[in-house]
Amino acid sequence: MLEEIGTNDQGDMIINIGPQHPSTHGVLHLVITLNGETVKKVEPHLGYIHRSIEKMCESLNYRQFIYVTSRMDYLSSHINNHACALCVEQGLQLEIPSRAQVIRVLLDELTRIASHQLWWGALAMDLGAFTPFFYAFREREMINEIMEETCGARLTMNYIVPGGLMMDVHPDFQRKVKAFLVQFRSKIHEYDELVTGNVIFQSRTKGVGILSKEDAISYGCTGPTGRGSGVSCDIRKLYPYEIYQQLQFDEVLEQGGDSFARYKVRIGEMIQSMNIIEQLIDNIPEGDFQAKTKAVLKLPKGDFYSRVETARGELGVYIISEGGTTPYRIKFRSPGFSNLSALDHMSRGGKIGDLMATMGTLDLVIPDIDR
Amino acid sequence: MISLESLNRALQHWLQSTLGDPWAYLVMCVLVGLAAITLFAVLGLALVYMERKVAALMQIRMGPNRVGPKGIFQTSADTLKLVMKEGLTPDGADKFLFNFAPFLVMIAAMLVLAPIAFARNFQIWDLNIGVLYVAAVSSIAVIGILMAGWSSNNKYSLLGAMRSAAQIVSYELSAGLAILSIVVLAGSLRISDIIASQADGWWIIKGHVPALIAFVIFLIAVTAETNRAPFDLAEAESELTAGFHTEYSGMKFALFFLAEYINIFIGCAIGATLFFGGWMPFHIGHWEAFNRVMDYIPSSLWFLGKTLFLIFLIMWFRWTFPRLRVDQLLNLEWKYLLPISMINLLFITLMAILGWHL
Amino acid sequence: MFLTDYIKTVYGTLGSLLKGMRLTGYYFTHKKEIITQQYPEVRPVLAERFKGEVVMPHNENNEHRCTGCTACELACPNGTIKIVTKTEVNAEGKKKKAIDTFVYRLELCTMCNLCVQACPSDAIIMANNFEHSVYDRRQFTKVLNLPGSKIMEGVE
C-alpha cells in the first residue's frame, strides 16, 4: 500500500499512522497527507476492531446483551450498560427503586472520573510527557478498587441488569468513595502544576485543532468535544435520566473550541462529578436494589430509544422489538464516531504534533467507534 | 596518594623504559582506545540504568529491581538481548548508508572524548583548541542521523531525520555562544587552561548572573542537541513512532541508543568543565581548612560528580515536560535563546574587559 | 511595551517549568510515595466479589448443589457452559435427573456473572483466581463437578 500511494500528484507525502501506532490508542488507522510537516488531509480508516456487537446483540436476550456493550467504550463500560438497561426498562415500563438509581448514578460519575483520569495521562503521553500517566493511574486505581469490590470487575463491570443492579453495593462502598474524594481533591492541584499550567503544554494545545460551534453541531460532536466548542449538549441536563434532575451540578462549557478548551472541559467535569458524588454518597436511600422482573424479559412490539452521557459524549441505544425475547434490531449511536469525523476538519493546516494533540483531546476509544 | 594522574605517569614511564619510544607510543594509543571503548560501554550501561531509576522514582515506581541487586544488571541483560537480536536491513534501504550510519554516530561521539579532562592532568589529548574541537566534532553526529533517516526508506525516519537536522543545526548556535562566553572569561580555548582559570572559583559563581544565563542556555542547547525530551522531536514516539531509528533493530539500534547517552555524558562533561570547573574542587576564598578537605576528595570524583549532577538535571527535564512542537522548537531557539545569548555574550565581554570577574 | 512583555514571557515560562520540576522532584525524593506492588511475591488483595472464574463448590463429602436444571447454560451469552445430564435411579427406585458433566470453557467466559445469578440452587459461584495462563488451550475446558461427586441431600 505504501508503495502505491507513496506520494500524490502534488508531491505530498502520504503516511499511514496506525493501525499500530503509539498515539492512536488502539487500532485506528489514519492516512494523512503531509506537505512537509503540515497536515493537509486526514482520512480515518476503521474496521480493525469491528466485532459486530450490534449484530451479536440481536441473538442475545435482553438480559444477556448488556454485557457485550461493556466492550464498546471500555473506559465508560458502566455507563454503556446503563444506557442499555434504560432502554430495556423503557420498553418494560419498569419503575426502578430509588436506591438502584442513586447507586447507578454514583457509579456513572466514578466511571466518568476514571475515564477522564486515564485520558489526562494519555493526553500528556501523546504530548511527550510520561510522568502524568502514572500520577493519573494512582488515583484511578482507587476507583478501580471500588469497582472491584462492588461490581467484581475493574473494567467491564456488567453490574447493571434491567430493573436495577445485579447485587447490592459492598458495605465498604461509602467509606471507600469518601476516601477517594479526599485523596483526589488533595491531588488535583498536581494536575495543574504538572500539565495545565505548563507553558509547553499550553502552547501545544492553545489554538490547536479549532472546532467552531457551527462545525461541532454539524459534525454531531457531543460530550466534552462539543462542550469545548460552546455547544450545550450535556444529556444529563437536556434529557435528564434517573435522578440527574434533582442534582446540583454545572454543565462545563468553554467557548474556545481548541484543544485547550476541551482539556479544560474535562478537568472541570471531573470536579463536577466529584460534586455529584458528594451530594449522593451520604444519601443513598434504603430499599431494594432491584425491581421485580420476570425471568424472561419480553419487550412489546415497537422501538425504543434511550440516551445517556458517557465520558465521551452522547450514547444512544435504539432497539426495535418484534415482541420477542431478543431485539429485532439494535443500533448504538456512539459518541466517538461522530467526534472522529471532525478530526480531518480540525487538524488540517496544523503540524503532525497538532494532529496528536487534537486526537488526544478528542479522547478516542477505538472499540467505541468501530463496535 | 594514588590518583589517575600518577597511575598514568607510572604506566607511561614503565612502557617507555621497557619498549622504547615508538612502541611505547603505539601501545599507549591502543590502551587509550581500549579504555575509551570500555568507558563507553560502562557509561552506556550505567547511564541507562540511572535514567530508568530516575524515571521510575519520579513516576512513583520502583524501576528495574529484578536482575542483580537493585536491578543493576538489567541494562547488561538488555544489551545482551539486543546483541542476540537480528540486525535487520529493510529491503528498500540503501544498504551501505543504513549500516554505516550507527557507526558514524558512534565515532562522532567517541571523537569528542579526546579533549575532556577526567581528572587532574588526565586527558587523552590536551588540544589547544579543545572547546572549538568539541563544538565542531559533536555536530558530525547529525550527518549520521540524516544518513540513518534517509537510507531507511521510511517516511517516519525521513521526517525524524529532517527534524533532527533542523534542530541540531539551530541549537548549535546558542550552545556555541554559551561556550564562547566562558572562553571570553577564561581567555583560552584549551580545556586545561579553562579549568586552571577556575582554581579560585567556578565560572558559574565568578561570572555572576551572565554566566548563570549562559549556563541555562547551554543546558537547554545540550538537551536539544542530544535529542532528548522536551526536544526529542527526532524520535517523538507519539508522532513518528521512533523517528530516525524506526527501522533499526538489534545492535545497530543499540549503537544509536548508546550514542545518545554518550552524547549526554559528553555534553554534561563540557558543561561541568566550563561552568563548574571540571575536576577542580570546590574552594571558598580563604577558608584554608575547608579547601584542604575539599582537595582531599580525588579530582576524578569531582569531575564525575558534577557531570552526573548535570545529567540528572537533563533527566529531570525529560521526565517532567511535554514535548515541544517543531515550529515552537525553532521559535524558542531563534526568538529567545539566540538573542538572549548574544546580548549575554556582550555583557560577559564587557565584564571581562572591566575585569569584574576577577 | 515589547521588551517588558518579552521578559515577562521568559519569566513566566521558567516559573511554570520550575513548578512542574518541583512536583517531580518531590516524588523523586520521597520514596514512600512509590505505589508499585511487587506482584508475584506480594499477592494482590482481591475483593471477595472479584470475578475470576466459575467454580462449583463441593463439601467434604464430595457433594455439590447442582441439579442439572441448565438455567446457567441458558443464561450464558457465550455458550461457555455445557451440562450433560444423566438419569439416576435412587434408593426408592425413583428416576431422577442428575448432572453427568458440567463443562465450563474458560476461554469463552467473560465473567459476566449471569450464570451465577441464574442458578436457583447456588451451585456455582465466582472464584477469585485470576491466573489462568496455560500452555495448552485444551486445559481451558474444565469439568466443574469433581469425579464421583453427588448432589447434596435436600437440594432440589
Side-chain angles (χ1 to χ4, degrees):
Chain A
M1 190 161 179
L2 261 174
E3 284 297 319
E4 291 157 25
I5 51 164
T7 51
N8 66 6
D9 307 339
Q10 284 98 46
D12 297 328
M13 198 189 263
I14 295 170
I15 286 193
N16 289 297
I17 290 200
Q20 301 289 330
H21 189 274
S23 66
T24 53
H25 302 298
V27 283
L28 178 64
H29 178 192
L30 299 174
V31 179
I32 60 173
T33 310
L34 284 179
N35 180 12
E37 279 265 346
T38 313
V39 177
K40 287 179 83 176
K41 198 172 127 196
V42 179
E43 215 182 309
H45 285 197
L46 299 177
Y48 289 94
I49 194 162
H50 186 78
R51 296 143 298 167
S52 68
I53 285 182
E54 287 164 2
K55 202 71 194 162
M56 270 164 73
C57 289
E58 288 170 17
S59 61
L60 298 174
N61 69 33
Y62 290 111
R63 276 189 206 284
Q64 289 172 340
F65 89 96
I66 290 177
Y67 96 94
V68 194
T69 57
S70 304
R71 274 81 181 166
M72 298 196 316
D73 179 355
Y74 50 80
L75 292 180
S76 41
S77 56
H78 185 82
I79 313 183
N80 293 351
N81 297 347
H82 195 170
C84 298
L86 279 177
C87 200
V88 175
E89 284 154 12
Q90 189 192 332
L92 294 171
Q93 311 230 313
L94 274 177
E95 192 65 40
I96 310 302
S98 59
R99 182 177 175 83
Q101 291 197 18
V102 168
I103 291 167
R104 279 178 176 190
V105 168
L106 270 171
L107 288 173
D108 272 8
E109 297 307 319
L110 280 176
T111 311
R112 197 183 313 281
I113 294 176
S115 168
H116 284 345
Q117 280 169 337
L118 190 133
W119 155 84
W120 180 77
L123 172 70
M125 208 138 133
D126 283 349
L127 297 178
F130 285 88
T131 311
F133 195 73
F134 294 90
Y135 296 175
F137 262 64
R138 178 185 49 190
E139 274 91 53
R140 190 171 179 273
E141 186 63 25
M142 297 185 77
I143 297 186
N144 278 343
E145 264 167 29
I146 295 168
M147 293 295 182
E148 187 182 329
E149 216 173 56
T150 290
C151 314
R154 298 158 66 88
L155 204 63
T156 51
M157 277 77 102
N158 194 34
Y159 183 56
I160 293 187
V161 292
L165 306 165
M166 195 172 261
M167 43 203 153
D168 206 355
V169 285
H170 195 268
D172 250 3
F173 180 71
Q174 275 165 306
R175 191 181 59 79
K176 284 253 169 113
V177 171
K178 279 181 201 161
F180 163 74
L181 288 176
V182 170
Q183 162 83 358
F184 191 43
R185 281 218 192 272
S186 72
K187 293 288 183 192
I188 202 158
H189 71 96
E190 290 183 357
Y191 287 39
D192 292 338
E193 283 173 26
L194 201 59
V195 174
T196 320
N198 190 298
V199 166
I200 302 174
F201 175 78
Q202 289 193 2
S203 59
R204 280 297 300 276
T205 47
K206 274 185 182 164
V208 165
I210 294 176
L211 184 70
S212 68
K213 191 171 179 176
E214 291 73 32
D215 287 330
I217 293 171
S218 62
Y219 279 110
C221 293
T222 50
T225 312
R227 289 196 283 282
S229 303
V231 185
S232 172
C233 56
D234 196 331
I235 304 298
R236 295 173 293 174
K237 282 277 182 200
L238 298 177
Y239 305 95
Y241 49 98
E242 306 286 23
I243 49 158
Y244 277 113
Q245 220 158 3
Q246 306 152 26
L247 295 172
Q248 301 289 316
F249 69 101
D250 297 326
E251 180 176 6
V252 189
L253 272 181
E254 290 283 335
Q255 303 299 331
D258 56 357
S259 293
F260 194 63
R262 289 188 283 277
Y263 174 86
K264 281 207 316 218
V265 168
R266 288 209 172 83
I267 295 286
E269 274 194 3
M270 285 201 258
I271 294 164
Q272 291 303 327
S273 290
M274 279 200 282
N275 290 344
I276 294 175
I277 294 170
E278 267 167 4
Q279 288 170 41
L280 290 177
I281 190 65
D282 282 325
N283 304 315
I284 303 178
E286 294 297 320
D288 290 337
F289 56 87
Q290 206 174 19
K292 286 264 180 293
T293 48
K294 288 187 191 132
V296 179
L297 300 178
K298 272 186 188 169
L299 255 64
K301 205 171 156 75
D303 45 353
F304 309 98
Y305 185 73
S306 71
R307 43 175 136 196
V308 296
E309 179 78 16
T310 74
R312 267 150 216 87
E314 175 186 341
L315 174 74
V317 179
Y318 181 57
I319 296 178
I320 301 178
S321 167
E322 297 273 85
T325 54
T326 58
Y328 171 73
R329 175 80 176 90
I330 194 160
K331 164 82 185 142
F332 298 110
R333 185 259 178 228
S334 69
F337 189 78
S338 320
N339 292 353
L340 176 68
S341 66
L343 180 65
D344 178 37
H345 175 79
M346 289 154 84
S347 48
R348 279 193 188 195
K351 302 276 182 285
I352 302 178
D354 292 344
L355 173 68
M356 301 311 162
T358 313
M359 214 149 71
T361 50
L362 282 181
D363 194 9
L364 302 174
V365 168
I366 313 304
D368 174 42
I369 298 166
D370 252 353
R371 294 194 294 288
Chain B
M1 196 174 74
I2 295 169
S3 69
L4 286 174
E5 184 194 356
S6 55
L7 275 177
N8 181 27
R9 280 269 167 72
L11 182 69
Q12 221 163 352
H13 191 76
W14 181 74
L15 276 175
Q16 250 156 10
S17 60
T18 47
L19 291 173
D21 225 11
W23 284 108
Y25 197 68
L26 203 68
V27 171
M28 272 313 271
C29 280
V30 171
L31 283 181
V32 164
L34 283 179
I37 290 170
T38 319
L39 179 76
F40 268 37
V42 172
L43 265 183
L45 296 180
L47 287 181
V48 174
Y49 176 73
M50 174 179 166
E51 169 108 300
R52 292 182 62 172
K53 269 291 187 202
V54 168
L57 285 174
M58 284 183 180
Q59 295 170 343
I60 46 179
R61 296 185 286 125
M62 293 181 100
N65 59 0
R66 293 298 162 114
V67 190
K70 294 205 174 255
I72 51 170
F73 296 125
Q74 181 66 52
T75 44
S76 321
D78 287 347
T79 318
L80 192 69
K81 182 206 78 172
L82 283 171
V83 173
M84 307 283 249
K85 274 177 101 171
E86 182 188 0
L88 197 83
T89 310
D91 264 352
D94 184 323
K95 299 256 167 0
F96 173 69
L97 289 184
F98 185 83
N99 289 314
F100 183 53
F103 293 100
L104 189 73
V105 172
M106 202 63 202
I107 289 168
M110 277 180 136
L111 281 177
V112 191
L113 210 62
I116 290 174
F118 290 95
R120 194 188 299 269
N121 297 332
F122 189 74
Q123 219 169 339
I124 297 176
W125 185 19
D126 192 10
L127 199 59
N128 59 354
I129 52 160
V131 181
L132 180 66
Y133 172 86
V134 169
V137 173
S138 65
S139 48
I140 290 177
V142 72
I143 299 175
I145 290 176
L146 266 178
M147 266 164 63
W150 178 257
S151 63
S152 298
N153 196 17
N154 176 318
K155 291 170 194 165
Y156 287 126
S157 308
L158 182 64
L159 277 172
M162 291 303 163
R163 282 177 175 194
S164 172
Q167 178 183 334
I168 295 184
V169 168
S170 333
Y171 277 83
E172 205 97 274
L173 289 171
S174 45
L177 284 175
I179 292 175
L180 212 56
S181 50
I182 296 303
V183 171
V184 167
L185 288 174
S188 172
L189 286 168
R190 191 190 287 268
I191 290 215
S192 55
D193 286 352
I194 292 176
I195 295 173
S197 71
Q198 302 179 66
D200 53 345
W202 304 342
W203 281 124
I204 194 138
I205 300 161
K206 275 203 300 184
H208 309 296
V209 181
L212 193 68
I213 294 174
F215 170 67
V216 171
I217 287 172
F218 179 82
L219 204 61
I220 295 173
V222 164
T223 318
E225 273 195 68
T226 47
N227 286 328
R228 282 178 64 82
F231 307 102
D232 62 342
L233 288 137
E235 284 152 48
E237 70 294 305
S238 67
E239 293 160 28
L240 303 178
T241 56
F244 63 89
H245 56 62
T246 305
E247 294 286 354
Y248 283 90
S249 58
M251 206 52 215
K252 280 180 271 180
F253 165 74
L255 282 181
F256 274 120
F257 201 62
L258 191 59
E260 183 190 325
Y261 282 94
I262 300 299
N263 278 329
I264 297 162
F265 177 79
I266 286 167
C268 292
I270 297 293
T273 308
L274 293 177
F275 296 96
F276 293 92
W279 49 259
M280 198 62 84
F282 183 67
H283 285 171
I284 300 178
H286 299 290
W287 296 16
E288 289 302 332
F290 178 79
N291 292 349
R292 275 286 177 78
V293 173
M294 287 289 139
D295 281 337
Y296 227 75
I297 301 171
S299 56
S300 50
L301 280 191
W302 274 107
F303 170 77
L304 213 62
K306 290 167 189 173
T307 311
L308 283 179
F309 170 69
L310 291 186
I311 292 173
F312 172 70
L313 272 187
I314 284 182
M315 287 177 180
W316 197 353
F317 293 157
R318 172 165 180 185
W319 299 110
T320 308
F321 302 137
R323 181 185 309 122
L324 278 93
R325 206 169 58 210
V326 66
D327 54 329
Q328 289 163 353
L329 176 93
L330 297 180
N331 270 351
L332 172 70
E333 163 65 18
W334 296 99
K335 286 189 184 163
Y336 292 93
L337 294 188
L338 193 63
I340 291 175
S341 52
M342 275 170 149
I343 294 168
N344 194 44
L345 183 62
L346 274 181
F347 271 117
I348 287 204
T349 318
L350 203 70
M351 232 167 66
I353 292 169
L354 295 175
W356 287 352
H357 62 289
L358 296 175
Chain C
M1 206 14 217
F2 169 74
L3 205 65
T4 48
D5 280 354
Y6 187 91
I7 292 169
K8 252 185 209 161
T9 316
V10 173
Y11 189 76
T13 306
L14 284 176
S16 83
L17 297 182
L18 286 178
K19 227 186 221 172
M21 283 177 70
R22 193 183 62 193
L23 186 67
T24 43
Y26 170 80
Y27 284 115
F28 180 74
T29 48
H30 287 70
K31 273 199 170 181
K32 64 173 173 21
E33 302 272 358
I34 288 178
I35 50 168
T36 311
Q37 289 178 0
Q38 301 272 50
Y39 157 58
E41 290 91 21
V42 181
R43 304 298 303 174
V45 185
L46 290 169
E48 75 236 57
R49 286 186 189 176
F50 180 77
K51 296 180 279 193
E53 65 174 329
V54 176
V55 292
M56 183 183 284
H58 288 64
N59 67 2
E60 62 276 11
N61 301 328
N62 203 13
E63 289 172 338
H64 56 75
R65 298 176 64 89
C66 182
T67 56
C69 68
T70 70
C72 49
E73 191 178 335
L74 290 171
C76 181
N78 306 315
T80 306
I81 296 171
K82 178 86 191 119
I83 296 173
V84 182
T85 50
K86 60 184 177 191
T87 330
E88 264 178 3
V89 184
N90 65 1
E92 293 135 40
K94 261 187 178 174
K95 278 185 182 171
K96 201 179 166 195
K97 204 168 83 169
I99 55 165
D100 179 39
T101 39
F102 188 108
V103 183
Y104 169 62
R105 302 188 64 183
L106 182 57
E107 82 267 38
L108 295 179
C109 185
T110 57
M111 318 301 163
C112 66
N113 211 23
L114 288 177
C115 52
V116 178
Q117 294 276 308
C119 185
S121 54
D122 296 333
I124 45 175
I125 55 164
M126 280 284 179
N128 276 358
N129 176 30
F130 63 97
E131 290 150 316
H132 295 311
S133 344
V134 285
Y135 283 105
D136 186 348
R137 71 169 161 193
R138 276 172 297 186
Q139 286 167 268
F140 277 135
T141 308
K142 297 180 177 180
V143 176
L144 293 192
N145 53 328
L146 297 180
S149 62
K150 279 213 310 266
I151 186 163
M152 224 176 272
E153 276 305 306
V155 177
E156 285 303 322

